[in-house]
Amino acid sequence: MAGARTVQRLTGVCDADGGFRGELAYAIGRARGTAHCALSDLTHAGRRRRPEWDALLATLGVPFDVVYLNERDDAVAAASEGRVPCVLAHTDTGIVVLLGPDDLAAIGTSVLRFDQTMREAADAEALVLPLSGLTP
């Protein structure tokens, strides 16, 4: 693919703070209906990680880290500011927002749909992702 950039790793940014206080605040907000994170819904069912999510991660061919707002490094914070939850692609030329909050909300909890949508977004951005994955 001419002009394509290679994805070296992916980062998902959750719309919540990590750590005990952050997770407690999110759980309370979730119960009250004031907090929601489409990425968390995709990766977890309740407090447990979805087995399908782990299966996808095992096939991606690049690392995929999920971080909370208070865990972002400067580059990830700059790329994701005002766009969380999101999925970022770290390429050989910089960071690209691959999926934003609306994209993740539209995916729901389907890991297969996430894989397909992520690959379509990568293609649209002329990004090269490994050929493995869940997509048939």
Side-chain angles (χ1 to χ4, degrees):
M1 187 185 297
R5 295 167 288 169
T6 302
V7 175
Q8 299 168 339
R9 67 185 173 100
L10 299 162
T11 300
V13 181
C14 291
D15 190 9
D17 282 335
F20 178 75
R21 283 184 144 163
E23 289 188 31
L24 180 61
Y26 180 75
I28 291 169
R30 178 108 182 174
R32 289 182 177 165
T34 59
H36 175 257
C37 177
L39 183 59
S40 294
D41 290 347
L42 178 67
T43 62
H44 287 75
R47 295 198 38 83
R48 295 187 183 263
R49 279 180 35 150
R50 293 181 186 278
E52 342 45 303
W53 179 255
D54 289 333
L56 172 65
L57 294 183
T59 67
L60 277 180
V62 294
F64 191 120
D65 299 312
V66 177
V67 299
Y68 293 100
L69 295 173
N70 61 332
E71 297 172 340
R72 299 176 294 174
D73 64 29
D74 291 342
V76 168
S80 63
E81 194 60 41
R83 301 179 220 175
V84 293
C86 65
V87 174
L88 306 174
H90 301 258
T91 73
D92 40 2
T93 61
I95 298 176
V96 175
V97 178
L98 202 53
L99 300 173
D102 293 340
D103 302 314
L104 290 167
I107 290 166
T109 61
S110 171
V111 174
L112 178 59
R113 188 166 178 202
F114 170 81
D115 187 40
Q116 293 167 334
T117 303
M118 178 181 63
R119 289 174 188 288
E120 290 167 2
D123 286 346
E125 292 288 336
L127 301 178
V128 176
L129 270 170
L131 295 177
S132 60
L134 297 179
T135 305

